[in-house]
């Protein structure tokens, strides 16, 4: 017996106290409606309506059932709505991974966007390398992540990729900083500061291959897991890094120059399990692509006086 369906019929009849009008509101014929009420009465072993008079009236059992039925049906509506929100990824917990070097402004935009789209979603953000994210996605201890390509892993689905242009990060005091752009070959004799290979093997190998193809074989590859340590190694002299322009904005003693002979870009996208994915994974992936695609290059130098600037200028592509 479909109890909820019969209760819905009962509530409409109880409010209308007229089987004909109730049937019209329910979009059904009157005989099936009468049969539905009769079956409900047999199931509950009570009479819900007094049919002895010309006007239909609720019995005592019917009056008591009406309040309970309305509460039960309202609860069913809330339950269906709740499940729909969960299916849409608007509720629950989303365990998401982001690379350690993700700028604060990017994290803020990502979290603000998630709050706007799914205010009931609890996002657990974890600072993880690409390799750590791939492992945790396979273990199902992570729902979605932002990874650097190429990624050699089966069973993953990827969101729209975003390519962020890379350039050379070097001290402002370096002679190379006098030029508006540099070639990879001009970096001969210098070390490369980069994230350890274990953090993103595919990207690490690709970067070194491009450097070798264009005439630069770094004397050493110095590992750096966080921006502050990377800055320290570069500022110590004898080394450069290949990073997005946004990284240089964190340190005023750094200069960033584009590469003219071998344009490099770091491709990033969301990744999540191909099967039994979290309902919010695809939404996270699209939002991440939108946020990462936002322009991050500094604006052209202003003609206004320094005092007119609302904040100090810490980064300038012209040196």
């Amino acid at each position: 017996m479909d109890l909820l369906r019969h209760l819905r019929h009962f509530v409409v009849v109880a409010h209308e106290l007229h089987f004909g009008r109730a049937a019209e509101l329910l979009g059904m014929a009157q005989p099936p409606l009468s049969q539905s009420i009769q079956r409900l009465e047999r199931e509950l072993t009570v009479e819900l309506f007094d049919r002895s008079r010309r006007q239909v009236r609720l019995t005592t059992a019917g009056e008591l059932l009406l309040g309970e039925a309305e509460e039960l049906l309202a609860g069913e509506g809330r339950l269906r709505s709740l499940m729909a929100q969960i299916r849409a990824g608007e509720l629950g917990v989303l365990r998401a991974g982001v690379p350690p070097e993700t700028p604060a402004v990017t994290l803020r935009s990502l979290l603000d966007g998630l709050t706007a789209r799914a205010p009931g979603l609890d996002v657990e953000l974890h600072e993880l390398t690409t390799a750590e994210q791939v492992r945790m996605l396979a273990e199902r201890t992570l729902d979605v992540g932002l990874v650097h390509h190429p990624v050699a892993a089966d069973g993953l689905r990827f969101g729209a990729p975003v390519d962020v242009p890379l350039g050379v990060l070097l001290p402002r005091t370096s002679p190379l900083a006098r030029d508006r752009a540099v070639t990879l070959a001009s970096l001969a004799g210098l070390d490369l500061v980069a994230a350890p290979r274990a953090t993103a093997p595919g990207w690490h190998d690709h970067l070194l291959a491009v450097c070798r193809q264009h005439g630069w074989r770094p004397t050493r590859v110095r590992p750096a897991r966080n921006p502050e340590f990377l800055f320290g190694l570069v500022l110590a002299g004898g080394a450069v890094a290949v990073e997005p322009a946004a990284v240089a904005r964190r340190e005023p003693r750094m200069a960033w120059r584009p590469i003219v002979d071998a344009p490099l870009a770091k491709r990033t996208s969301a990744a999540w399990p191909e099967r039994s994915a979290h309902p919010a994974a695809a939404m996270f992936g699209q939002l991440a692509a939108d946020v990462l695609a936002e322009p991050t290059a500094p604006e052209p130098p202003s003609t206004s006086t320094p005092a007119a600037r609302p904040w100090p200028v810490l980064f300038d592509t012209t040196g």
Side-chain angles (χ1 to χ4, degrees), residues 35-86:
Q35 294 169 9
S36 175
I37 299 301
Q38 291 169 3
R39 184 171 182 182
L40 179 62
E41 289 177 323
R42 289 196 300 270
E43 180 71 20
L44 300 177
T45 63
V46 293
E47 288 189 358
L48 300 173
F49 295 98
D50 181 359
R51 303 174 179 84
S52 62
R53 304 177 184 180
R54 296 183 61 182
Q55 184 178 1
V56 177
R57 293 180 181 274
L58 284 169
T59 63
T60 300
E63 290 175 350
L64 293 174
L65 178 61
L66 179 57
E68 296 293 333
E70 289 177 327
E71 185 176 342
L72 181 61
L73 292 173
E76 182 212 15
R78 290 191 297 270
L79 180 62
R80 290 184 182 275
S81 176
L82 181 66
M83 294 301 104
Q85 288 179 287
I86 293 175

Side-chain angles (χ1 to χ4, degrees), residues 60 254 282 290:
T60 300
M254 289 290 182
D290 295 340

